Amino acid sequence: MHSPIPVLLAARAMRGFADGYVALLLPAYLLALGFGTWEVGVLTTTTLLGSALMTLAVGAMGHRFHHRALLTGSALLMASTGFAFALYGGVAGTLFWPLLLIAFIGTLNPSSGDVSVFLPLEHARLAEASDASSRTALFARYSLVGAMFAALGALATSLPAHLSTAMGTTQLGGVKAMFALYGLIGCIVFLLYRTLPPPAAGEAIVPPAPLGPSRAVVVRLATLFSVDSFAGGLVVNSLLALWLFERFGLSLAETGHFFWWSGLAGATSQLAAPVLARRIGLVNTMVFTHIPASLCLIGAACSPRLDLALGLLLMRSLMSQMDVPARSALVMTLVTPGERAAAASFTAVPRSLAAALSPALGGALFAAGWLATPLVLCGALKIGYDLILWRSFRRQPLRAEH
């Protein structure tokens, strides 16, 4: 049987590219439709809430279905989401509730990381395709591919202006064309997943199962991850782009270029994660890179100058993503092989739910004129999370490879 790793990495690359530009176009799209900063936060919350509930369903019932069916179904939902956003406006006018409905059901990802239903499904497949010695490196490759293509997607935010000129429409028309591209990418991802092997008798050595022996440790992890994600939801890419629009008056193209460099820095830094994990351990890698990144975010929030703020945000990007592959590997290593899909889902769900609560708060704080508050609050909460995580898991024994 051929390895699923190339297919999963290719699909992650395609999704990363689409997420990279959609996260930045989303606030610009809503502002162009006449909505305000509060609506940006509410729609971001709705998007993350829908993803969390869908991920919860996968964690609770996904073990009853073959992963190929779940992945292809999710890809079709991605395609439908993009086409629905592209068609919106000419049909529904400027009503807000249709957008909320699409955002809740769909797969848009307004954050810098992957918080969609795809994540636990792909993580479980990657864990099955690797052993303990190579797992962190594989998750680093997976995260690196996603981050690199998300950075390329950020550069693509300059395309709406070119498309509107070429098509003789407004910039809003160019933005809608990019959402149509998101739908097309969903179709390509569907075709990629179709190449995964179909269900076959006896194909899995360890069949997927609901949480059992590892429930306690998964609950502890999920609780901590929820704090981290609530904090991160205050400055998801859509809101950070909105902060740059409102605080320093950056254009959409300028913001896209910044997120290209930021994404490139984050992607490159993940190459160091496996090396650090081998030398100092998974938990230390997560904590000792995350705390300086949070301090940089707080510094950027208080910066009076654009160049200083962007510099601190870039320094944050160089450190803030090194915990991603280490976190994924930690979860997969702490649970039994049969529980991996359920563990990935049940640690992802609180992250998505918690992250879904905070963007509306961030948008409200922006609307009230407290532009620095969401960034400072995010940094402070993340530092608290890191300290508790280190104290709780620094001596946690890891399971031997099965």
Side-chain angles (χ1 to χ4, degrees), residues 199-223:
E203 71 166 350
I205 297 175
V206 181
L211 284 176
S214 306
R215 180 179 296 274
V217 71
V218 170
V219 169
R220 290 168 63 199
L221 285 171
T223 302

Side-chain angles (χ1 to χ4, degrees), residues 26-107:
L26 190 59
Y29 178 59
L30 293 176
L31 293 175
L33 289 174
F35 300 116
T37 56
W38 183 79
E39 284 85 357
V40 174
V42 169
L43 189 126
T44 302
T45 285
T46 302
T47 297
L48 294 172
L49 180 61
S51 295
L53 294 177
M54 192 177 303
T55 305
L56 178 62
V58 169
M61 298 178 291
H63 61 278
R64 302 176 184 176
F65 304 93
H66 192 267
H67 63 267
R68 184 172 182 262
L70 294 172
L71 285 168
T72 53
S74 300
L76 289 177
L77 184 59
M78 177 182 177
S80 300
T81 303
F83 294 137
F85 263 84
L87 293 173
Y88 176 81
V91 177
T94 55
L95 294 175
F96 190 50
W97 70 263
L99 278 179
L100 287 178
L101 181 61
I102 299 168
F104 181 78
I105 299 174
T107 61

Side-chain angles (χ1 to χ4, degrees), residues 70-352:
L70 294 172
L71 285 168
T72 53
S74 300
L76 289 177
L77 184 59
M78 177 182 177
S80 300
T81 303
F83 294 137
F85 263 84
L87 293 173
Y88 176 81
V91 177
T94 55
L95 294 175
F96 190 50
W97 70 263
L99 278 179
L100 287 178
L101 181 61
I102 299 168
F104 181 78
I105 299 174
T107 61
L108 291 185
N109 177 21
S111 68
S112 59
D114 192 353
V115 294
S116 68
V117 69
F118 296 98
L119 183 71
L121 297 170
E122 292 184 343
H123 272 193
R125 304 289 79 74
L126 290 171
E128 291 173 0
S130 60
D131 55 32
S133 62
S134 62
R135 188 167 295 137
T136 304
L138 178 57
F139 278 116
R141 285 171 57 199
Y142 176 83
S143 299
L144 175 65
V145 166
M148 286 290 291
F149 278 83
L152 288 173
L155 275 185
T157 53
S158 62
L159 288 178
H162 300 298
L163 290 173
S164 61
T165 301
M167 296 186 301
T169 64
T170 62
Q171 184 168 345
L172 182 59
V175 172
K176 290 185 177 183
M178 296 298 289
F179 279 109
L181 177 61
Y182 181 92
L184 290 174
I185 291 173
C187 294
I188 296 172
V189 171
F190 169 80
L191 295 176
L192 283 171
Y193 289 147
R194 289 279 295 173
T195 65
L196 293 172
E203 71 166 350
I205 297 175
V206 181
L211 284 176
S214 306
R215 180 179 296 274
V217 71
V218 170
V219 169
R220 290 168 63 199
L221 285 171
T223 302
L224 286 170
F225 291 169
S226 67
V227 175
D228 179 49
S229 290
F230 178 85
L234 292 167
V235 289
V236 293
N237 276 11
S238 293
L239 291 185
L240 189 56
L242 183 62
W243 181 74
L244 291 171
F245 297 157
E246 298 289 321
R247 175 70 176 84
F248 294 108
L250 258 66
S251 68
L252 181 58
E254 290 170 334
T255 303
H257 278 85
F258 164 73
F259 275 95
W260 150 252
W261 289 110
S262 174
L264 189 63
T268 303
S269 69
Q270 293 188 42
L271 294 173
V275 179
L276 278 177
R278 285 194 297 269
R279 289 181 177 273
I280 65 174
L282 293 171
V283 175
N284 288 342
T285 298
M286 296 168 64
V287 172
F288 297 152
T289 59
H290 225 213
I291 290 178
S294 298
L295 292 174
C296 287
L297 179 64
I298 294 172
C302 302
S303 173
R305 301 198 332 252
L306 173 62
D307 56 347
L308 181 58
L310 294 182
L312 287 168
L313 289 174
L314 285 174
M315 289 179 62
R316 171 189 178 237
S317 298
L318 281 169
M319 295 176 284
S320 65
Q321 296 301 306
M322 279 194 276
D323 75 309
V324 174
R327 180 180 61 210
S328 302
L330 179 68
V331 174
M332 295 297 103
T333 307
L334 288 174
V335 303
T336 63
E339 297 173 293
R340 283 170 180 159
S345 293
F346 277 99
T347 51
V349 165
R351 290 171 54 209
S352 298

Side-chain angles (χ1 to χ4, degrees), residues 1-13:
M1 184 186 302
H2 68 277
S3 171
I5 292 175
V7 172
L8 296 174
L9 292 179
R12 181 69 187 93

